[in-house]
Amino acid sequence: METIYFDNNATTKVAEEVLEEIKPLFCDLYGNPSSMHTFGGQIGRRISRAREQAAALLGCDPSEIVFTGCGTESDNTAIKGALAAVPNKRKVITTRVEHPAVLTVCRELENRGYRVLELGVNRQGRLDLAELEEQIDDDTALVTIMYANNETGMVFPIERIAELARSKGSVFHTDAVQAVGKIPLNLARSDIDLLSLSGHKLHAPKGVGILYVRKGTRLSPFMLGGHQEAGRRAGTENVPGIVGLGKACELAAANLEEENSKVKILRDKLENALLEKCPDCRLNGDTEDRLPNTCNVSFEYIEGEAILLMLDKYGICASSGSACTSGSLEPSHVLRAMGVPFTAAHGSIRFSLSRYSTEEEVDYTIEKMPAIVNQLRELSPFVAK
Ligand code: PLP
């Protein structure tokens, strides 16, 4: 059997339609969009089209789209840029379950004299909105809370949170890297000021992202230099990346509901079978308010890394935490924040599906997993024999 790729929250395959769109941009249409000549000008028009395609998916105005180099850059720009624009306010509110692209920036802010509050989550990975409301005060410059968690897929009530932040005069940023393309968004009807997304999570190439900046939001640019992106992000544009991301947004918008309900059926089949067939296995997160593609389960008494290696032998790719932290044996900060016991956090596996996942792949994984778990438990020093 060919590779079964269930690690789509780490990165996704570039869609064939996207690849076709960007191919001519390497050797034929390679002009610089900032050039005065016609050759460069036609590239500029392709970037404008990509901006419109992205705006259509997000439900915003094309002028509110800023192309960046990745989700991490969008997050960094949003946080640092929003704070630089309101230097008199010194408090930032975030959560303990953010991606390192947000958490590391926030922790560094503490060294610069900011008060950073990391809100906790409950066992299902949910926030306490009353606590958030209480904590946003006059000194709060920024609230930055992810739309959907990359490890568990849990989706926060971002519209409500954005409304709260706005009512209290704070700027609101959301890291929507895992949400875009999986749940419908309409930014024109929301109070979100800043939103980050990343191309490689939605079947566009790596190395391109977007920062949505709501009209009127004050933001200092992160990259200084030329006047690309209306002075909001200097640097010659990654034209193939941008055009590819535009096409990927168009594909996502065209098939969002249909594709995601298909993905959810497959994810649920996999998840229910694992919970039923593998003893001492539990779901991390909740069945409600979750991305349709993500399944995070813990297998007690065994190591997630050992499961991954066995899955790998069968050509099945999954993950034992976020790809950025793999290589470290520390259990996931997200699962720890949810109060998942140490042993269960160590034995956690994330399966993340995509529109290209098939029922045959799910069935094959369901067939292999119980045997893998049994075999590893036989070897486990923690299981009474
Ligand atoms: N935010 C979240 C929630 C993510 O899952 C990721 C990547 O895994 C990022 C940010 C970083 O995005 P990028 O890899 O494009 O820098």
Side-chain angles (χ1 to χ4, degrees):
M1 192 164 211
E2 287 185 1
T3 298
I4 295 178
Y5 189 73
F6 285 160
D7 202 11
N8 288 279
N9 287 9
T11 197
T12 59
K13 161 187 163 146
V14 172
E16 298 289 342
E17 298 91 327
V18 168
L19 183 62
E20 284 311 310
E21 194 86 3
I22 66 183
K23 268 185 192 162
L25 299 166
F26 290 94
C27 299
D28 298 328
L29 300 169
Y30 52 83
N32 187 327
S34 298
S35 299
M36 289 295 286
H37 42 70
T38 315
F39 189 62
Q42 59 185 332
I43 309 298
R45 279 194 293 282
R46 284 176 187 240
I47 293 185
S48 302
R49 180 148 163 263
R51 209 181 296 285
E52 283 161 15
Q53 289 163 318
L57 175 65
L58 300 180
C60 67
D61 192 86
S63 65
E64 296 172 312
I65 300 285
V66 178
F67 288 109
T68 65
C70 55
T72 301
E73 184 190 319
S74 300
D75 285 340
N76 274 255
T77 307
I79 297 169
K80 294 185 179 176
L83 293 180
V86 278
N88 53 326
K89 294 190 177 188
R90 307 296 291 174
K91 183 173 173 184
V92 175
I93 300 179
T94 187
T95 78
R96 285 170 61 194
V97 297
E98 299 298 311
H99 187 274
V102 167
L103 261 190
T104 316
V105 182
C106 289
R107 289 182 183 161
E108 192 242 357
L109 290 173
E110 285 183 322
N111 303 332
R112 294 208 267 132
Y114 281 92
R115 282 187 300 136
V116 177
L117 176 75
E118 292 177 16
L119 297 168
V121 293
N122 69 11
R123 193 59 190 265
Q124 281 72 44
R126 290 204 169 84
L127 284 170
D128 177 352
L129 290 200
E131 184 191 2
L132 171 65
E133 184 164 13
E134 209 173 285
Q135 287 293 344
I136 309 177
D137 59 18
D138 292 345
D139 194 36
T140 307
L142 176 74
V143 177
T144 171
I145 295 182
M146 70 198 324
Y147 214 118
N149 189 273
N150 45 304
E151 295 191 29
T152 60
M154 288 302 288
V155 177
F156 287 142
I158 287 303
E159 295 305 333
R160 176 80 194 103
I161 292 171
E163 210 178 294
L164 267 181
R166 159 146 314 189
S167 71
K168 297 199 158 207
S170 164
V171 173
F172 180 67
H173 164 247
T174 186
D175 173 343
V177 164
Q178 294 293 344
V180 174
K182 295 173 192 153
I183 29 188
L185 296 175
N186 189 342
L187 294 176
R189 278 205 254 120
S190 94
D191 287 321
I192 296 169
D193 297 306
L194 299 160
L195 175 143
S196 304
L197 72 92
S198 172
H200 73 104
K201 309 288 182 177
L202 74 150
H203 306 290
K206 295 166 184 63
V208 63
I210 284 175
L211 178 61
Y212 155 82
V213 184
R214 210 171 113 85
K215 258 187 211 130
T217 305
R218 287 165 62 204
L219 191 83
S220 297
F222 187 50
M223 302 269 275
L224 301 176
H227 51 259
Q228 292 90 351
E229 297 297 292
R232 294 172 298 183
R233 199 274 187 181
T236 299
E237 297 88 341
N238 168 6
V239 179
I242 291 173
V243 170
L245 179 49
K247 183 68 186 176
C249 287
E250 184 188 284
L251 293 174
N255 303 312
L256 199 118
E257 271 177 36
E258 191 191 322
E259 263 169 19
N260 284 299
S261 38
K262 184 202 120 189
V263 168
K264 183 176 182 304
I265 291 169
L266 292 181
R267 189 277 313 267
D268 288 348
K269 181 174 186 186
L270 174 65
E271 183 168 294
N272 293 334
L274 295 180
L275 294 171
E276 192 188 307
K277 290 175 194 279
C278 303
D280 295 313
C281 166
R282 47 158 294 167
L283 176 67
N284 294 314
D286 204 353
T287 47
E288 297 292 313
D289 305 323
R290 193 159 46 118
L291 292 176
N293 78 320
T294 309
C295 160
N296 188 315
V297 277
S298 276
F299 301 90
E300 280 281 3
Y301 318 121
I302 45 180
E303 292 285 342
E305 282 69 24
I307 303 173
L308 284 189
L309 289 177
M310 303 269 283
L311 283 172
D312 198 44
K313 278 206 315 197
Y314 294 114
I316 304 168
C317 306
S319 166
S320 63
S322 78
C324 313
T325 55
S326 64
S328 137
L329 279 181
E330 275 297 298
S332 135
H333 71 285
V334 174
L335 299 185
R336 298 295 288 153
M338 289 163 65
V340 174
F342 202 75
T343 49
H346 260 296
S348 75
I349 295 287
R350 178 188 71 188
F351 295 96
S352 46
L353 281 60
S354 81
R355 68 168 83 118
Y356 301 112
S357 304
T358 66
E359 186 151 20
E360 292 71 46
E361 293 175 335
V362 165
D363 289 341
Y364 183 74
T365 308
I366 293 173
E367 183 195 317
K368 295 296 173 204
M369 267 306 280
I372 291 176
V373 170
N374 284 342
Q375 199 180 332
L376 290 172
R377 290 227 173 104
E378 288 285 306
L379 303 169
S380 169
F382 304 111
V383 182
K385 308 211 171 64

